[in-house]
Amino acid sequence: MSRLSLRAVLLATAAGLCLTVPASEASAPVKRVIVGCVLQGKFISHNGFHIRVRARGSAVDLLPYEGMELRYTGMLLPGDRYNVQTAPLILGPCQKPPKPLH
C-alpha cells in the first residue's frame, strides 16, 4: 500500500471515529395511551394495529377481556410491543370492533 493510500485510510478511520451518531429516536420507547378492543384474545387498537401487551416482561392474558373495549397506559416499543404501566380501564363492550390491518 502506498504512503498516500495509507494516509487516506488513516484519515478516513480517524474521521469516522470522531463522528457521533445519535441513537435513533424511532426505536426509543414512547409513552402512549391506547384504546382498542380485545378480539380473539388479541388487543386491536382503534387504528387496526395488533398491539402485543406486556407487563413486567410477560405477555398479558387478555382472554378475560374478550369483546371489551379497553384503555391502557404504557410505553410503546418498536414492533407494536406495549409495556403497560397500569391495569386496563374497561370502557365496556366493544361497540365498533376495529378491523385488524394484519
Side-chain angles (χ1 to χ4, degrees):
M1 185 181 285
S2 72
R3 286 185 112 167
L4 184 59
S5 60
L6 179 60
R7 187 176 290 170
V9 169
L10 290 174
L11 283 173
T13 303
L17 292 174
C18 292
L19 295 176
T20 58
V21 179
S24 174
E25 291 182 23
S27 63
V30 179
K31 188 171 184 174
R32 287 282 185 257
V33 174
I34 300 179
V35 177
C37 292
V38 178
L39 305 170
Q40 298 176 350
K42 297 178 182 176
F43 185 59
I44 309 297
S45 72
H46 282 301
N47 301 17
F49 291 98
H50 171 212
I51 307 295
R52 292 165 187 84
V53 181
R54 302 182 64 77
R56 296 182 195 97
S58 299
V60 173
D61 180 16
L62 296 170
L63 288 177
Y65 303 108
E66 185 66 38
M68 303 302 281
E69 185 174 18
L70 305 177
R71 181 170 65 204
Y72 272 112
T73 300
M75 301 300 284
L76 185 61
L77 301 150
D80 295 329
R81 291 174 296 144
Y82 192 56
N83 290 331
V84 295
Q85 296 173 326
T86 63
L89 176 62
I90 301 171
L91 302 175
C94 191
Q95 299 295 324
K96 294 174 80 177
K99 293 183 180 176
L101 295 175
H102 46 67

